[in-house]
Amino acid sequence: MDFSLTWQQQTVVDELEKFLKKEVAPHVEEYDKKKILRDPAKLKELFKQLQPFGAISGPIPEEFGGMGLDYTSTGLIFQKISECWASLAGTCLIQAAGARLLAENKNKGMIEKYLPEVCAGKLILCSGITEPNVGSNPAYITTTMKKEEKGYRVTGEKTWISNGSVSDVAFIVATVDRALGPKGLGIILVDRRESPYKTKELEKLGMKAFPTSEMSFEDVFVPEENLIVPPGGGMRNLGRTFELGRSLMSCASVGIARAALATAIGYAKEREQWGKKIGSHQLIQEMIYNMKSRTEASYLLTMRAFWMMDSGIKCEAESSLAKAYSTEAAVLTTRECIQIMGGYGYSEEYPAERFYRDATMQTIPDGTTQIQQLIVARDLLGLAAFV
């Protein structure tokens, strides 16, 4: 593996950093408190501004309006956005992952109809997997898509759906027959303008501006041409989506941790106690070391997963390892940032407490840390702790 960035990668990251420092960073605290990403119009405006940097369509081929970037470049982009504002990175992540799912499916009609507008940020995507009683094991999804003439009737509830409340279109994982388990699962695209569904925003500890909602489908008719993955193929497609999603969440955690480390270093070099900078105290230096070592280890694990994706190598275990380690490392790192800053770290006047709250959320979506541990152990032992 070559860890140096290519000229293209470095250029994309540098230009994105300039944009974020000028247009986003000065307003993050205000935007986060006002939760502006829950406003579809404002989110689309940000998507439009970020689109040239590959933030919402990086790995999508240029013929469909994407940037044609490799996965490593896409990961670097998400790290940089997360370093600035994790909630914004979250909305972009969902858009980019959904765009890739749309681009790789065999339904050419749906690609032509939706992908260019998704890549341009004119349509907001979400993916509905989790349900009130179905989280880490999507094989037992209860949302149904009942076949009828010229289409399907979708009925069910989804919850904790990222971008759900602001979405124009949704990929819904549903079953044609609950008795079939994973063999009954398919994926259907529900266009909110043609097949209305209801949403309700969910409040949470961190990532407060990041839209997260309940979704309700009450006998919603969806045309048959909107079937993205036929029944029986849903789980196979989810596996590839999870590899990308978990790796991108690792990137988000690295970005948050780097922001916390920079904040802690800046504070430790300025703050004085007992007649000297607190950065010269041994226990502060130990925490700075721990923050740095965890963050760099997280980065290397994450970059390996992207390298494998770029090389066409399956990386289920590697992306799970990166996600489990980097998300938990970010929680510890952001907590130490607060500890170094003392009372100021706990104050909403400074970003340290936001880093900690945002980092905590990363340990849950796309499979909790514990699920990632089981995936990695299954790969090593050849023995599954779950079906």
Side-chain angles (χ1 to χ4, degrees):
M1 293 176 63
D2 181 0
F3 294 103
S4 60
L5 302 186
T6 65
W7 174 85
Q8 182 189 39
Q9 290 169 338
Q10 191 64 60
T11 299
V12 168
V13 171
D14 288 346
E15 291 302 312
L16 175 60
E17 184 173 27
K18 290 178 185 177
F19 168 79
L20 292 171
K21 283 184 176 180
K22 181 180 179 181
E23 303 294 340
V24 181
H27 311 290
V28 167
E29 296 304 326
E30 175 192 358
Y31 287 172
D32 201 63
K33 287 182 173 64
K34 290 183 177 180
K35 305 173 183 177
I36 69 161
L37 301 179
R38 297 184 184 185
D39 181 335
K42 291 182 179 179
L43 180 55
K44 288 177 181 179
E45 182 180 341
L46 282 167
F47 275 177
K48 183 180 179 180
Q49 292 176 300
L50 287 165
Q51 192 276 338
F53 303 104
I56 60 173
S57 60
I60 308 303
E62 293 183 40
E63 62 185 287
F64 298 121
M67 299 289 289
L69 299 178
D70 59 2
Y71 289 116
T72 300
S73 297
T74 301
L76 294 169
I77 289 167
F78 279 96
Q79 281 184 32
K80 189 57 64 177
I81 299 174
S82 298
E83 197 171 337
C84 177
W85 188 18
S87 287
L88 177 59
T91 60
C92 294
L93 185 158
I94 300 302
Q95 187 81 353
R100 191 192 76 154
L101 177 60
L102 184 58
E104 291 187 347
N105 87 92
K106 297 179 180 180
N107 190 327
K108 301 304 180 183
M110 291 294 96
I111 292 177
E112 294 174 0
K113 181 177 180 180
Y114 291 104
L115 191 54
E117 288 193 284
V118 168
C119 288
K122 295 179 180 179
L123 290 178
I124 300 175
L125 266 175
C126 76
S127 296
I129 303 173
T130 304
E131 297 180 354
N133 293 309
V134 179
S136 299
N137 190 355
Y140 294 96
I141 278 172
T142 61
T143 297
T144 58
M145 52 179 189
K146 184 178 180 181
K147 185 71 176 77
E148 62 177 52
E149 186 179 1
K150 297 185 179 181
Y152 293 84
R153 290 284 175 182
V154 178
T155 301
E157 303 287 331
K158 298 292 183 179
T159 193
W160 296 113
I161 306 305
S162 304
N163 284 7
S165 59
V166 295
S167 63
D168 298 298
V169 292
F171 288 118
I172 299 301
V173 181
T175 180
V176 292
D177 185 347
R178 296 177 185 176
L180 294 175
K183 294 182 179 180
L185 293 180
I187 302 176
I188 194 164
L189 186 150
V190 184
D191 187 326
R192 197 172 194 172
R193 300 164 298 179
E194 301 170 356
S195 307
Y197 50 83
K198 299 177 183 178
T199 61
K200 177 185 176 183
E201 193 68 42
L202 296 170
E203 301 299 336
K204 48 198 181 296
L205 172 71
M207 304 280 284
K208 287 185 174 293
F210 181 37
T212 314
S213 72
E214 295 177 346
M215 303 180 73
S216 176
F217 301 85
E218 300 174 2
D219 201 30
V220 176
F221 178 78
V222 183
E224 59 187 357
E225 59 265 26
N226 286 32
L227 186 66
I228 300 297
V229 179
M235 291 295 287
R236 290 193 297 273
N237 280 268
L238 289 180
R240 284 181 48 79
T241 300
F242 279 141
E243 283 185 358
L244 177 61
R246 287 165 181 165
S247 298
L248 289 176
M249 292 199 71
S250 300
C251 289
S253 296
V254 172
I256 295 169
R258 283 182 169 172
L261 176 59
T263 299
I265 290 173
Y267 185 84
K269 291 168 70 175
E270 294 295 326
R271 175 71 167 173
E272 291 189 8
Q273 285 287 289
W274 294 288
K276 59 181 180 180
K277 307 293 186 184
I278 66 169
S280 64
H281 294 303
Q282 291 181 0
L283 291 179
I284 297 294
Q285 293 197 356
E286 180 187 25
M287 284 191 280
I288 294 293
Y289 161 79
N290 287 336
M291 295 169 75
K292 176 66 172 178
S293 61
R294 288 192 212 101
T295 303
E296 290 303 306
S298 298
Y299 174 77
L300 294 174
L301 286 171
T302 303
M303 287 300 102
R304 180 181 65 172
F306 281 112
W307 172 78
M308 292 178 71
M309 279 189 274
D310 283 328
S311 302
I313 303 171
K314 183 180 179 181
C315 61
E316 180 184 32
E318 289 78 10
S319 61
S320 287
L321 180 61
K323 202 259 183 186
Y325 183 86
S326 62
T327 55
E328 294 292 342
V331 172
L332 293 172
T333 296
T334 54
R335 183 183 180 279
E336 285 187 323
C337 177
I338 291 175
Q339 199 70 15
I340 288 171
M341 295 181 68
Y344 292 111
Y346 200 64
S347 169
E348 289 188 356
E349 294 184 24
Y350 296 88
E353 59 86 30
R354 173 169 55 84
F355 296 153
Y356 179 70
R357 290 186 289 103
D358 289 353
T360 300
M361 180 183 170
Q362 310 301 318
T363 66
I364 299 173
D366 279 350
T368 63
T369 298
Q370 289 71 31
I371 290 296
Q372 310 308 326
Q373 291 169 341
L374 295 180
I375 291 171
V376 174
R378 180 182 63 187
D379 182 72
L380 293 170
L381 297 168
L383 299 170
F386 54 87
V387 179

